[in-house]
Amino acid sequence: MERDTDVLLQEERIFYPDEDVIQRALIKNWEEEIRKGKDIEKYWAEKAEQFEWFKKWDQVLDESNKPFYKWFVGGKINLAHNAVDRWVETDKRNQVAILYANERGDERKLTYYELSREVNKFANALRNLGVVKGDRVSMYLPMCPELLISMLACNKIGAIHSVVYSGLSVGAVVERMNDAKAKILITADGTFRRGKVIDLKSITDEAMLQCKTVETVVVVKHTGSPIDISELSGKEIFYDRLIEGEPADCEPEQMDAEDPLFILYTSGSTGKPKGVLHTTAGYMVGAATTMQNVFDIHNGDLYWCTGDIGWITGHSYVIYAPLLLGTTTLVYEGAPDYPDPGAFWHLVEKYGVTKFYTAPTAIRHLMRFGTKYPKRYNLESLKILATVGEPINPEAWMWYYKYIGNEKIPIMDTWWQTETGMHLITPLPCSPLKPGSATKAFPGIEADVVDDQGNPVPLGKGGFLVIKKPWPAMFRTLYGDDERYIETYWKDIPGYYKAGDMARKDEDGYFWIQGRSDDVLKIAGHRIGTAEVESAFVSHPLVVEAAVIGKDDPIKGQVIKAFLILKEEQKLRTGLIEDLKKHVRYELGPVAVLGEIEQVEKLPKTRSGKIMRRVLRAREAGEDLGDTSTLEE
Ligand code: WT7
């Protein structure tokens, strides 16, 4: 395969923005904006003015019950009203809000006016199903307009949505639905993926056998695969039937600023996924403000974030922030390399995409095919490029910069998390860039690198990444588990939010993220807990014990390396390896990419029986095993 040899792996240059980038930029002076952000209450209150409130807040920030912070206390607002209905009364009324496209070349455009009608109809339908404020509604849907519509419909009536990524499998769906005690599930017949139709309905059917709280399953006919109404169970109803005859207007629920907005599950150090809970007003303010300034959103933008709505990237930056700003968001159902590795660039040219947001793993994957694909398309409409999900290696940064941005367009390397709801460390278009660094905290955010006591570490030294002050889009707790919320994020380093990443700061105050400090892997930007993978292995009848570590991978960042103790007499034959892979995939879905499986007789453990993954990692890397004084034997 063609490979660019002039790109060095280490890149020490600083890239300054072109004059016209600064001219255009909403924020032209980075340092000054950071100074303004020092007064966090004033800064964020100003940003909150952009919305239509039923009632303004009495207090910007309530810190009386740390770490249960509250923002815009006393305010009344509705997200869907601000993201959709508000624009119908302006000259954006007939502007495209959602531009849906898929790998087969189908497209569907919904203007703000059309979207508001669809949202209202579905909101009314949900009310008819008995959904009231505070009820949980789950979605297990591909990237399709109905997913956005149903999320917004929940906001409209105050229901809490919990979207489950359509790439997760039965076990994961069941666990999430039951934890959220979802009353309604919205799903689809299937999704398109690399020329195939993936059946989602049968996964739902299987999951439903174990989800007792769900009263109604709404089925979107998305792929046109022929499901007959006679195949539906008594609980199930087709989406189009459900909204038939529903009125196209709907009174928005006046939500308290701190009313729950959604739950989104993510992986942690233990096997049980964490239900990250976000609330209404602060989330809106944080997502919209970062989007506007990091992606420099103007009228006429055609914005595309390739992330899936099933993850936080999609929640904040495919649907909510773009619509809250009244921009046009491209929703794409398809892979970066299908029908060929030019798929992304084809769409950029076709629709005139101006702002493009993707993951380093996608760039690394596309790089392998050389420059011939991007060179085939006119990419001149692009004005901002961005990445998220994991550190971007300088080599991938340079490729993105040169061949997609034509050395003219700044790259926004945005660091944030499911928990943070919004970008926290990121450049702005006017910032000097260093490939591989997410640069500095967004204005109004205070980040630092500290030791385990909370003391700042010297410049250049690694430490724990912390956020020192609350921010509006922060999660408020883990659903139903305040204790775990405190335990995981606030206890080790008192007073600060512990992000779970290691980082260092350089002499210019730029942050360099080094990776997770906990037992969480990052596979193609997806977060997956080692404990989850281990329990998936152990649920296989021939596996006695399992330990899992991340192994570096040039494209995916990390893949899974598993060490297994098998039942007596069992040998790791090819057939068994295949079977184990299938089993783990069934339990967790395709996000769990298995690199290697190794059979072992023993696992390194502490005397209290905890697996020492550190020892396994060192052994795998051929390094010194470090301090093994706590090792059992
Ligand atoms: C973890 C959060 C936030 C949307 C997608 C991931 C890693 C994320 C970056 C970046 C280095 C990054 C961190 C973080 N991460 N963005 N720009 N540079 N690392 O959300 O699944 O909650 O994962 O992703 O390790 O803790 P998530």
Side-chain angles (χ1 to χ4, degrees), residues 465-485:
L465 179 62
V466 293
I467 309 299
K468 291 181 155 176
K469 287 192 178 147
W471 64 100
M474 67 194 296
F475 66 137
R476 300 305 198 259
T477 191
L478 296 177
Y479 186 66
D481 203 346
D482 287 348
E483 210 167 296
R484 191 175 179 196
Y485 170 72

Side-chain angles (χ1 to χ4, degrees), residues 212-461:
K212 298 296 173 225
T213 59
V214 174
E215 292 168 13
T216 310
V217 179
V218 181
V219 183
V220 177
K221 282 188 265 182
H222 176 62
T223 61
S225 59
I227 307 184
D228 191 73
I229 195 147
S230 62
E231 292 171 45
L232 298 190
S233 77
K235 274 188 180 182
E236 295 173 324
I237 181 163
F238 284 126
Y239 180 95
D240 47 1
R241 278 295 276 281
L242 183 69
I243 59 168
E244 238 172 49
E246 286 299 340
D249 48 42
C250 169
E251 204 46 46
E253 190 76 38
Q254 299 206 1
M255 302 295 282
D256 196 276
E258 280 295 336
D259 274 335
L261 183 67
F262 64 81
I263 304 166
L264 183 59
Y265 287 87
T266 188
S267 294
S269 297
T270 69
K272 191 175 178 290
K274 303 190 277 200
V276 171
L277 182 83
H278 282 281
T279 60
T280 308
Y283 176 80
M284 293 168 62
V285 173
T289 305
T290 45
M291 162 110 188
Q292 179 154 39
N293 295 303
V294 174
F295 301 141
D296 202 40
I297 296 298
H298 296 267
N299 277 335
D301 266 322
L302 194 292
Y303 164 82
W304 183 18
C305 166
T306 68
D308 195 284
I309 294 177
W311 305 113
I312 193 69
T313 307
H315 278 57
S316 297
Y317 299 107
V318 174
I319 149 164
Y320 289 130
L323 298 181
L324 284 167
L325 295 172
T327 191
T328 302
T329 183
L330 172 58
V331 175
Y332 181 62
E333 183 184 6
D337 57 358
Y338 184 86
D340 66 42
F344 277 0
W345 323 128
H346 164 72
L347 289 170
V348 168
E349 178 183 291
K350 177 172 177 192
Y351 294 116
V353 172
T354 55
K355 311 289 159 70
F356 181 73
Y357 192 21
T358 195
T361 186
I363 297 166
R364 289 194 299 265
H365 178 63
L366 295 177
M367 259 170 86
R368 288 196 312 174
F369 302 96
T371 57
K372 113 172 164 240
Y373 290 100
K375 280 185 176 151
R376 210 179 265 175
Y377 299 96
N378 181 344
L379 305 178
E380 277 169 21
S381 58
L382 289 168
K383 293 202 161 62
I384 298 284
L385 299 175
T387 63
V388 62
E390 55 180 318
I392 177 163
N393 47 311
E395 194 179 2
W397 197 100
M398 286 309 300
W399 191 86
Y400 199 27
Y401 186 72
K402 277 176 110 167
Y403 301 111
I404 309 306
N406 196 18
E407 296 183 61
K408 286 198 297 242
I409 303 175
I411 297 176
M412 303 295 108
D413 173 356
T414 64
W415 177 90
W416 59 297
Q417 308 175 298
T418 308
E419 292 88 341
T420 72
M422 62 188 259
H423 303 150
L424 290 193
I425 301 177
T426 173
L428 300 177
C430 65
S431 312
L433 303 173
K434 301 184 189 184
S437 167
T439 76
K440 298 188 184 191
F442 188 83
I445 303 298
E446 211 180 298
D448 207 351
V449 179
V450 300
D451 63 19
D452 53 7
Q453 303 297 309
N455 306 310
V457 300
L459 289 182
K461 281 266 178 319

Side-chain angles (χ1 to χ4, degrees), residues 29 109 184 240 315 329 343 409 447 556 586:
N29 187 328
K109 293 178 180 172
I184 308 283
D240 47 1
H315 278 57
T329 183
I409 303 175
K556 301 207 177 279
Y586 171 81

